[in-house]
Amino acid sequence: MTHTAGGADPHGGPDATAAAGRGIRVLVADDHTVMRAGVLALLAPESGVEVVGEAANGAEAVAAVRALAPDVALLDLRMPVMDGVSATERIVASGAPTRVLILTTYDTDAEIERAVEAGAVGYLLKDTSREQLVAAIAAAARGETVLAPKVAERLVARMRRPAPVALTGRELEVLTAVADGLSNAEIGRRLVIGEATVKTHLLRVFAKLDVSDRTHAVVVALDRGLLVRPDTRGGSTAP
C-alpha cells in the first residue's frame, strides 16, 4: 500500500478537487511511449482523474505545466533533454500550484534524495498498482507526501544509520598507528609529534567515534570504513 503523510483514501478515490466539481487534472511525462500509454490506460477508467496532457521529456513537461496548469505532474525520473529532477526544480521555482509526483524504476538513496530536494511531493515506483497510483495522485493533489513502501523503508533505514564521522588526516594517521599496535611514544616517533599531542588526537577520535578505548576505536573505524587496515592489535586502553 502506498504510504501518505495524511493518509489517502485507501480505495483510491480522489477527492482533492471534488468541491470544484471536476477531476484531478494530471500531466503524464515519460520518454517511453509504451510506458506513457500504459499510465494513461490505468487512469482512463477513473472518473476523478483527468489526464490533460503528455510530455516526452522534462523540457516538454515544464512547458506543459506552464500552459495547462495541471493539479499533478506525474514525471519519470530519467528523460532526455531535461531529467525529472531538473524539471521538478523548474516547476517548483515557477510558483505553479502543480504538485510533482515522481514515477520511476529507480529506488536508490541518491535518486530519492535528489527528487525530494528538488521539491517533489512524492516518489513512486513503476510496479505501483492502479489503485495505489490513483490514491497517490489524490494525496499529491492535497499536498501530502507520498512514498512507495520500498522508498519509505529505504528512508527509514537511512535515518537509523549512524551519522557519518569525519576524521582529520592526522587523526587517521594516529589511529592507523594504533591499529599497527604502536604505543603513544612509538606513534609520536613515527609521526614526529609529541606524546601529549598523540593523546590529544586520540581523545578527539574517541569523542567522534563515541568510544572509550583504543581497541574499540580501531574496531569502529574499520567497521565504518574509515580504516582499511585489517590489523586491529590494540595497545593499552588509556589514550
Side-chain angles (χ1 to χ4, degrees), residues 2 9 18 50 63 65 74 90 126 138 146 159 166 169 180-181 207 210 221:
T2 301
D9 178 355
E50 178 189 1
V65 166
L74 199 59
R90 297 285 184 88
K126 288 184 177 178
V146 186
M159 290 174 65
D180 287 341
D210 193 23

Side-chain angles (χ1 to χ4, degrees), residues 168-191:
T168 66
R170 182 61 87 185
E171 288 167 352
L172 283 172
E173 289 176 338
V174 170
L175 196 54
T176 297
V178 171
D180 287 341
L182 302 186
S183 66
N184 288 352
E186 291 170 330
I187 294 173
R189 287 194 291 272
R190 173 191 280 190
L191 302 179

Side-chain angles (χ1 to χ4, degrees), residues 54-93:
E54 302 177 42
N57 59 61
E60 288 184 5
V62 173
V65 166
R66 186 182 305 115
L68 303 170
D71 300 305
V72 177
L74 199 59
L75 306 185
D76 186 18
L77 198 60
R78 298 189 181 179
M79 295 183 287
V81 184
M82 181 186 296
D83 66 14
V85 170
S86 298
T88 299
E89 291 174 338
R90 297 285 184 88
I91 292 170
V92 172

Side-chain angles (χ1 to χ4, degrees), residues 70-160:
D71 300 305
V72 177
L74 199 59
L75 306 185
D76 186 18
L77 198 60
R78 298 189 181 179
M79 295 183 287
V81 184
M82 181 186 296
D83 66 14
V85 170
S86 298
T88 299
E89 291 174 338
R90 297 285 184 88
I91 292 170
V92 172
S94 72
T98 302
R99 310 288 188 177
V100 176
L101 188 57
I102 298 295
L103 180 62
T104 182
T105 57
Y106 304 98
D107 64 350
T108 64
D109 291 349
E111 300 286 10
I112 296 168
E113 288 179 6
R114 289 180 62 231
V116 172
E117 289 174 357
V121 299
Y123 198 104
L124 300 178
L125 301 179
K126 288 184 177 178
D127 60 0
T128 298
S129 69
R130 180 180 65 82
E131 291 78 12
Q132 291 171 342
L133 178 59
V134 173
I137 289 173
R142 294 191 295 267
E144 299 173 8
T145 299
V146 186
L147 297 176
K150 291 180 183 178
V151 173
E153 289 171 7
R154 291 188 70 92
L155 289 178
V156 170
R158 184 177 180 83
M159 290 174 65
R160 288 176 176 169

Side-chain angles (χ1 to χ4, degrees), residues 8 15 30 39 69 71 80 87 97 109 111 122 126 129 146 152 167 216 219 224:
D15 58 6
D30 196 304
V39 173
D71 300 305
D109 291 349
E111 300 286 10
K126 288 184 177 178
S129 69
V146 186
L167 299 181
H216 196 191
V219 171
R224 297 191 185 182

